[in-house]
């Protein structure tokens, strides 16, 4: 069988596209290892529009249920399958072959919505206190730290944007950066550091996360002198980069230096006609659940026009 569309990825972007594809009667195969996005580990997601508060695990279940409500002879869900490679179809045919760990599917178009994973803080105590004060999502978890002292690890734009969000809730925010120059835009750095409850430390790097049941502090060292100090905080927000899940398309799609898929922001189409991408696997400027879902819908609308152009 040749599908009109193959959607790869089961987070907000993939599910949004799947629902729209079904409503547009596109014969679609939906391939995903699971329905868990980065937010699945969050105890309280407060920025999913239309839902004031929801556990990340429940959000994942809701997404899965919404998609399955449309499962039919038009939308076929292949859960628990992991895409391993995408190739062009046989010579002369405008189709693609999607190879998973268990099967192969042929489709006229593809939407890649595989997201990515936050680069982890790899110091003693970081894994132990993940989701117990150490988090990778200020938009999800920031309000939980109202009136508390928190730290942000990372001096790029993402780190400073996280700090700016946290200043609306926290008593104090301390940002740690490993080099002697912040990587964020100068205007952003100046504006955020001007806040009376904000402090920036550089060049320093975390060496340990401290706590009992929950985070109670952070140990950091000066990169130049090696001197170590303790910082008393109850929350640690890590913004040291994102690792996109794009290895399986690197043979067919151009990726940027971060491994992200480059897309046209008007349509979400990649450099390869017939392949679109949406969400955290792309080079989009902002990465959030709502944005990922919206970008996927944009892609789906363009895919529908592409398939029905003739």
């Amino acid at each position: 069988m040749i599908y009109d569309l193959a959607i790869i990825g089961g987070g907000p972007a993939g599910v949004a596209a799947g629902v729209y594809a079904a409503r547009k009667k596109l014969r679609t195969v939906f391939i995903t290892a699971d329905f868990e996005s980065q937010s699945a580990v969050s105890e309280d997601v407060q920025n999913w529009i239309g839902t004031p508060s929801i556990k990340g695990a429940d959000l994942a279940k809701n997404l899965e249920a919404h998609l399955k409500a449309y499962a039919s002879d038009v939308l076929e869900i292949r859960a628990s399958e992991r895409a391993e490679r995408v190739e062009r179809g046989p010579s002369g045919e405008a189709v693609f072959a999607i190879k998973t760990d268990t099967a192969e599917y042929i489709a006229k178009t593809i939407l890649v919505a595989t997201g990515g994973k936050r680069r982890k803080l790899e110091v003693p105590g970081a894994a132990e206190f993940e989701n117990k004060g150490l988090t990778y999502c200020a938009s999800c978890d920031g309000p939980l730290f109202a009136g508390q002292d928190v730290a942000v690890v990372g001096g790029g734009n993402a780190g400073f944007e996280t700090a700016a969000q946290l200043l609306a809730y926290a008593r104090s925010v301390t940002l740690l950066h490993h080099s002697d120059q912040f990587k964020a835009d100068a205007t952003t750095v100046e504006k955020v550091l001007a806040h009376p409850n904000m402090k920036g430390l550089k060049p320093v790097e975390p060496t340990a996360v401290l706590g009992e049941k929950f985070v109670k502090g952070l140990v950091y060292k000066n990169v130049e002198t090696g001197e170590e100090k303790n910082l008393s905080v109850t929350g640690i927000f890590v913004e040291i980069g994102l690792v996109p899940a794009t290895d399986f398309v690197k043979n067919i799609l151009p990726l940027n230096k971060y491994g992200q898929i480059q897309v046209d922001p008007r349509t979400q189409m990649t450099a390869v006609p017939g392949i679109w991408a949406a969400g955290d696997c792309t080079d989009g400027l902002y990465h959030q659940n709502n944005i990922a879902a919206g970008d996927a819908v944009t892609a789906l609308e363009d895919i529908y026009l592409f398939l029905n152009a003739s």
Side-chain angles (χ1 to χ4, degrees):
M1 174 187 294
I2 298 179
Y3 295 92
D4 291 323
L5 170 65
I7 297 172
I8 307 172
V15 170
V19 169
Y20 270 69
R23 292 178 64 84
K24 290 181 178 296
K25 301 297 183 183
L26 298 181
R27 185 170 293 279
T28 302
V29 58
F30 190 100
I31 304 166
T32 185
D34 53 54
F35 288 90
E36 295 186 354
S37 66
Q38 292 178 58
S39 294
V41 299
S42 178
E43 283 299 308
D44 188 15
V45 178
Q46 298 184 353
N47 63 333
W48 180 244
I49 301 303
T51 305
S53 176
I54 186 171
K55 288 182 178 294
D58 291 337
L59 174 59
K61 290 177 183 177
N62 288 355
L63 291 172
E64 181 177 2
H66 194 172
L67 183 73
K68 287 184 174 178
Y70 282 90
S72 64
D73 57 345
V74 174
L75 175 67
E76 299 178 24
I77 301 173
R78 296 290 183 264
S80 301
E81 288 191 35
R82 188 176 300 278
E84 295 187 339
R85 189 174 177 85
V86 172
E87 299 177 346
R88 294 185 182 275
S91 179
E93 293 187 31
V95 295
F96 300 95
I98 303 95
K99 298 182 179 181
T100 74
D101 49 0
T102 60
E104 179 176 306
Y105 305 95
I106 305 297
K108 298 175 185 177
T109 61
I110 294 174
L111 173 62
V112 181
T114 44
K117 293 184 178 180
R118 297 285 183 181
R119 194 178 301 279
K120 299 291 186 177
L121 181 63
E122 297 181 354
V123 300
E128 179 184 354
F129 291 103
E130 187 168 327
N131 301 315
K132 297 177 182 178
L134 188 147
T135 178
Y136 293 84
C137 183
S139 297
C140 307
D141 300 329
L144 302 176
F145 294 87
Q148 300 179 45
D149 299 311
V150 301
V152 175
V153 181
N157 281 320
F160 273 88
E161 288 164 7
T162 289
Q165 290 184 55
L166 294 173
L167 286 167
Y169 310 104
R171 179 170 57 191
S172 72
V173 179
T174 302
L175 183 144
L176 297 85
H177 184 53
H178 63 88
S179 70
D180 59 1
Q181 294 292 328
F182 294 120
K183 292 184 178 180
D185 298 332
T187 301
T188 300
V189 172
E190 182 179 1
K191 181 178 179 180
V192 174
L193 290 182
H195 195 286
N197 298 334
M198 179 72 199
K199 184 178 182 180
L201 301 177
K202 59 180 175 64
V204 301
E205 59 184 19
T207 57
V209 176
L210 307 176
E212 295 175 359
K213 291 184 178 181
F214 298 94
V215 167
K216 296 184 68 176
L218 178 68
V219 181
Y220 67 91
K221 73 174 181 180
N222 185 294
V223 174
E224 296 175 347
T225 66
E227 180 185 7
E228 286 196 333
K229 293 185 178 181
N230 285 13
L231 180 66
S232 180
V233 292
T234 54
I236 301 171
F237 292 79
V238 183
E239 288 289 356
I240 55 176
L242 186 75
V243 182
T246 56
D247 278 354
F248 72 103
V249 291
K250 65 183 180 182
N251 63 298
I252 194 170
L253 292 178
L255 308 177
N256 66 14
K257 63 180 180 180
Y258 305 108
Q260 299 167 321
I261 300 171
Q262 296 172 289
V263 297
D264 179 344
R266 294 180 66 251
T267 62
Q268 300 299 126
M269 183 183 280
T270 71
V272 176
I275 303 181
W276 287 255
D280 290 2
C281 63
T282 74
D283 63 348
L285 183 58
Y286 303 110
H287 293 139
Q288 292 285 334
N289 287 335
N290 294 296
I291 294 172
D295 285 350
V297 171
T298 295
L300 208 287
E301 294 287 356
D302 203 55
I303 290 168
Y304 183 79
L305 291 177
F306 180 90
L307 290 169
N308 292 279
S310 58

